[in-house]
């Protein structure tokens, strides 16, 4: 059944649109509309709500053709106004592939580099190695990956930030793991970012993590927006509902992303892809009308019934 927007909901959508802003686009621009941006609470810096993940998709080793395709994905990402690329030492060759792509693209100035420390031993050595692979002078954001040795790494990252060697500090988890520890760190440590799993079916973070992030002025990165492709694959056999047109969605991927990035406490979602067509589709989800709270609940309930 088609859902029509009430005047009140139209006003909410217009207000959300008003928050949008155009990111710098020194590369050839292809996006028809500017991306919505959300502010990083600790600094006020505007961040486009669609980022780029690299888990699995950029782990292509030395395959020249695959590396070229990843570089093409990055080119389209930046041309559409994207900034945040997220990776980790855990992701195989992804860091090397990102660095190779950045060099091929002339090291785009709008890059927001987000990486992680993932070791139980020498964090500074791993970070230096990661930076060399990316070919960047410093990272914008470093996160303790899955809280591994966080008691050791957070003081180091805070010291790097104070010394100007890093702009932001964060922590990560995925698939709903260790939320109690995440909450404890958020409440006690001056972190800038937290990265958690959030999508139309995995909504547990709405209960405590997102409210605490708002209270503590912590930016939130949403990982696994498609459950590593599981959601988009399962939904492809179902037609888009008529109400998807109200938020200008032409695919389930766009519906899923708009559900996430329309939440006022989500700073950025990081879908991963190795295909230019998919990154173009994903970036389009960061522009145009966004669902309000009622439609977000409708999206979640509808997808829950289908799956």
């Amino acid at each position: 059944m088609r859902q029509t927007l009430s005047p009140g909901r139209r006003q909410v959508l217009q207000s959300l649109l008003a928050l949008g802003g155009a990111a710098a686009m020194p590369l050839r621009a292809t996006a028809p509309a500017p991306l919505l941006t959300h502010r990083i609470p600790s600094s006020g810096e505007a961040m486009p709500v669609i980022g780029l993940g690299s888990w699995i998709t950029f782990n292509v080793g030395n395959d020249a053709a695959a590396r070229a395709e990843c570089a093409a994905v990055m080119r389209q990402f930046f041309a559409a106004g994207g900034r945040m690329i997220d990776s980790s030492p855990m992701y195989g060759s992804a860091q090397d592939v990102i660095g190779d792509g950045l060099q091929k693209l002339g090291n785009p100035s709008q890059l927001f580099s987000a990486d992680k420390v993932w070791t139980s031993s020498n964090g500074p050595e791993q970070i230096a190695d990661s930076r060399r692979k990316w070919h960047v002078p410093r990272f914008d954001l470093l996160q303790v990956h899955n809280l591994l040795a966080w008691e050791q790494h957070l003081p180091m990252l805070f010291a790097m930030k104070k010394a100007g060697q890093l702009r932001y500090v964060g922590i990560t988890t995925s698939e709903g793991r260790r939320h109690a520890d995440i909450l404890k760190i958020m409440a006690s440590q001056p972190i800038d970012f937290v990265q958690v799993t959030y999508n139309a079916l995995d909504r547990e973070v709405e209960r405590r993590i997102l409210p605490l992030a708002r209270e503590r002025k912590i930016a939130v990165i949403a990982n696994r927006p498609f459950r590593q492709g599981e959601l988009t694959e399962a939904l492809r056999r179902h037609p888009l509902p008529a109400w998807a047109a109200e938020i200008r969605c032409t695919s389930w991927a766009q519906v899923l992303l708009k559900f996430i990035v329309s939440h006022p406490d989500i700073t950025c979602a990081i879908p991963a892809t190795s295909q230019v067509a998919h990154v173009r589709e994903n970036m389009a989800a960061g522009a145009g009308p966004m669902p309000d709270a009622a439609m977000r609940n409708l999206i979640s309930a509808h997808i829950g019934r289908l799956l």
Side-chain angles (χ1 to χ4, degrees), residues 12 20 39 59 63 94 127 158 229 234 268 300 302-303:
V12 172
R39 299 284 177 180
N59 183 21
D63 186 315
I127 291 168
F158 291 139
C268 184
S300 180
H302 185 78
I303 291 174

Side-chain angles (χ1 to χ4, degrees), residues 28 55 142 178:
R28 195 173 304 167
W55 167 237
L142 280 173
R178 299 188 67 178

Side-chain angles (χ1 to χ4, degrees), residues 102-263:
L102 291 175
Q103 289 193 306
K104 287 175 178 175
L105 299 178
N107 298 311
S109 60
Q110 67 263 48
L111 169 69
F112 185 98
S113 53
D115 209 287
K116 306 178 184 79
V117 56
W118 184 66
T119 178
S120 58
S121 55
N122 195 329
E125 181 178 335
Q126 185 183 73
I127 291 168
D129 183 58
S130 296
R131 186 181 56 78
R132 284 190 294 268
K133 290 176 178 177
W134 277 68
H135 303 288
V136 293
R138 67 173 183 176
F139 286 111
D140 291 295
L141 167 64
L142 280 173
Q143 306 153 93
V144 181
H145 195 163
N146 288 336
L147 304 186
L148 179 61
W150 70 266
E151 299 94 335
Q152 170 188 340
H153 296 316
L154 277 185
M156 170 194 65
L157 296 181
F158 291 139
M160 289 180 65
K161 179 182 175 182
K162 185 175 181 180
Q165 300 167 345
L166 175 65
R167 298 178 63 216
Y168 300 103
V169 175
I171 57 175
T172 83
T173 187
S174 63
E175 301 182 62
R177 294 187 292 245
R178 299 188 67 178
H179 279 187
D181 291 331
I182 288 283
L183 287 163
K184 179 178 71 173
I185 296 168
M186 289 173 66
S188 63
Q189 302 293 323
I191 59 173
D192 303 290
F193 277 82
V194 61
Q195 183 178 143
V196 292
T197 293
Y198 183 59
N199 56 58
L201 295 187
D202 297 308
R203 302 181 64 179
E204 182 188 344
V205 297
E206 291 179 352
R207 293 177 54 248
R208 297 178 65 193
I209 288 178
L210 294 188
L212 183 58
R214 181 170 61 251
E215 176 187 330
R216 296 279 292 171
K217 301 188 185 308
I218 298 170
V220 181
I221 301 171
N223 61 35
R224 292 175 59 83
F226 305 142
R227 284 189 178 175
Q228 205 171 313
E230 174 189 328
L231 293 179
T232 48
E233 183 63 27
L235 287 168
R236 63 187 300 180
R237 64 179 179 269
H238 299 285
L240 277 178
W243 47 255
E246 297 182 15
I247 52 174
R248 296 184 198 164
C249 289
T250 60
S251 69
W252 279 112
Q254 291 177 346
V255 171
L256 290 165
L257 286 174
K258 287 208 173 195
F259 169 86
I260 296 168
V261 303
S262 60
H263 195 293

